[in-house]
Amino acid sequence: AGEAVGAKRPREGEEEDVAGGSLRVGALVKARLDASGRSFSASVHARNEDGTFDLSCDGSLVEGVPAALVEPVAVGAAVADSLLRDEPGGHIEGTSAFFDAFTAALTSGPKFRTLTAAQQAVASEKVQSLRPAFEEELAALRATRGQGASVTVVDIREMMPRVMARAARAAT
């Protein structure tokens, strides 16, 4: 077996060139773990002497994954920090919960609170109409990070401008 790591943060100097990039213990990756061809979200748990990786995926350890099936996932610093903190409520599960967090982010600001009740109702209806664009953006995130990827509140905030742009394009 390879070097296991207890912390989620990469250890200094633990790198392996894979797919044109560098993977460290603790790095976020996506990996093809079955015959479906889908990629699943994981993190590098250990590097093995034979060039394979042990990956943490959805609470399970998957050992001996060939390097050719592992691809690094790039996330912004704020998202990475949120994932590493593993705070309660910081990670969201399920499309409806994702959309609820997105809706809350749009309807909980000080500007929204200045609207009359009738204006808030209209604005809330418009936010609900964004769901198809939101689901497309969420699918793009899953394609980038792999099935089962954690989505953070930071991700939701970063998705808002892209969702609005998708909705605007769809309306024209």
Side-chain angles (χ1 to χ4, degrees):
E3 300 173 39
V5 64
K8 289 185 175 183
R9 290 190 184 272
R11 290 184 180 166
E12 190 70 33
E14 289 189 355
E15 298 182 10
E16 182 81 14
D17 283 337
V18 174
S22 170
L23 291 183
R24 297 176 179 186
V25 172
L28 296 177
V29 297
K30 61 182 180 179
R32 293 182 307 281
L33 300 175
D34 63 19
S36 71
R38 291 182 301 165
S39 292
F40 295 87
S41 178
S43 63
V44 176
H45 180 76
R47 299 177 320 163
N48 300 316
E49 291 178 12
D50 64 0
T52 63
F53 290 91
D54 294 346
L55 304 177
S56 296
C57 181
D58 202 20
S60 299
L61 182 63
V62 181
E63 297 178 313
V65 179
L69 302 179
V70 179
E71 185 178 332
V73 172
V75 295
V79 171
D81 287 345
S82 180
L83 289 168
L84 289 171
R85 281 194 306 270
D86 202 22
E87 297 170 344
H91 302 229
I92 304 162
E93 301 292 331
T95 302
S96 291
F98 296 143
F99 190 71
D100 290 346
F102 175 77
T103 301
L106 289 174
T107 60
S108 63
K111 194 171 191 175
F112 185 82
R113 288 191 292 265
T114 65
L115 301 174
T116 67
Q119 290 171 322
Q120 286 182 356
V122 169
S124 292
E125 189 174 309
K126 286 184 179 182
V127 169
Q128 291 299 317
S129 73
L130 297 172
R131 188 167 183 138
F134 177 83
E135 289 176 348
E136 289 173 11
E137 193 61 38
L138 189 56
L141 182 114
R142 286 183 176 138
T144 300
R145 292 199 198 153
Q147 295 295 316
S150 293
V151 177
T152 69
V153 174
V154 174
D155 287 313
I156 299 295
R157 280 191 225 117
E158 289 178 355
M159 287 171 66
M160 282 193 279
R162 296 190 305 268
V163 168
M164 303 300 260
R166 278 184 191 270
R169 284 191 304 271
T172 58

